[in-house]
Amino acid sequence: MSTPHVIVVMGVAGTGKTTIGPLVAAELGVPYAEGDDFHPAANIAKMSAGTPLDDADRGPWLDAIGAWARERAGRGGVVSSSALKRAYRDRLRAAAPDLVFLHLTGDRALIEARMAERKGHFMPTALLDSQFATLEPLGEDEAGVAVDVSGTPGEITARAVDALRRQSA
């Protein structure tokens, strides 16, 4: 990518945002921020209890991610955020208009299996159905690319970086 963009690695829980995000950032030579770190404690507690977040819960979290992205504008960065709904992505773009989204996609069974293997993460597999129900894929008018998460982290990262570079060319 010629001009450093801020990239939001998005997708349902278990797609590998926390794994792929830092790898993409390293490949592009920009900093990475873990989206989960922007959640207030109340959100973590709610999800840990198996209760999906509502839009009111997500507001402060999205605003914090948007503020980070705005600070990185013109210098580049990668941040993870489920960004499942168009309205959430619009809210992020309101803070940082030049965001590019990297939508990690995949088969539900693969994602569920990966979630089941995670240790110590607050998001239970029971919330995966609500994540898929909420997901609104990127619209044709949204800057971004979708990349399938089958394969190794290295393969996914290579596909993602290639797709991002092609998209910005």
Side-chain angles (χ1 to χ4, degrees), residues 7-168:
I7 298 161
V8 177
V9 181
M10 63 167 282
V12 299
T15 53
K17 297 180 294 290
T18 298
T19 300
I20 302 305
L23 294 173
V24 168
E27 213 34 58
L28 298 176
V30 296
Y32 171 75
E34 171 54 53
D36 287 342
D37 293 343
F38 293 94
H39 273 299
N43 284 9
I44 302 279
K46 194 170 184 178
M47 288 183 285
S48 295
T51 304
L53 299 180
D54 59 28
D55 288 351
D57 297 322
R58 286 188 182 95
W61 175 64
L62 291 167
D63 292 343
I65 292 170
W68 184 90
R70 184 176 50 253
E71 291 171 10
R72 297 296 317 160
R75 297 181 293 150
V78 175
V79 62
S80 59
S81 168
S82 53
L84 297 176
K85 288 185 181 181
R86 171 72 185 245
Y88 305 160
R89 297 188 297 272
D90 289 345
R91 189 168 183 155
L92 291 170
R93 275 191 294 269
D98 294 328
L99 288 178
V100 174
F101 291 86
L102 168 58
H103 183 187
L104 299 180
T105 65
D107 174 75
R108 189 192 184 292
L110 172 66
I111 293 167
E112 185 173 20
R114 288 183 178 172
M115 283 182 77
E117 292 173 4
R118 296 195 302 195
K119 304 290 182 237
H121 195 277
F122 60 82
M123 178 68 91
T125 57
L127 291 182
L128 192 54
D129 287 336
S130 72
Q131 293 259 302
F132 273 107
T134 302
L135 177 64
E136 296 171 5
L138 287 174
E140 289 185 19
D141 61 331
E142 293 185 89
V145 297
V147 174
D148 183 78
V149 297
S150 58
T152 67
E155 292 166 341
I156 299 163
T157 300
R159 283 195 306 269
V161 170
D162 183 56
L164 288 164
R165 286 186 171 138
R166 279 195 325 265
Q167 194 261 348
S168 72

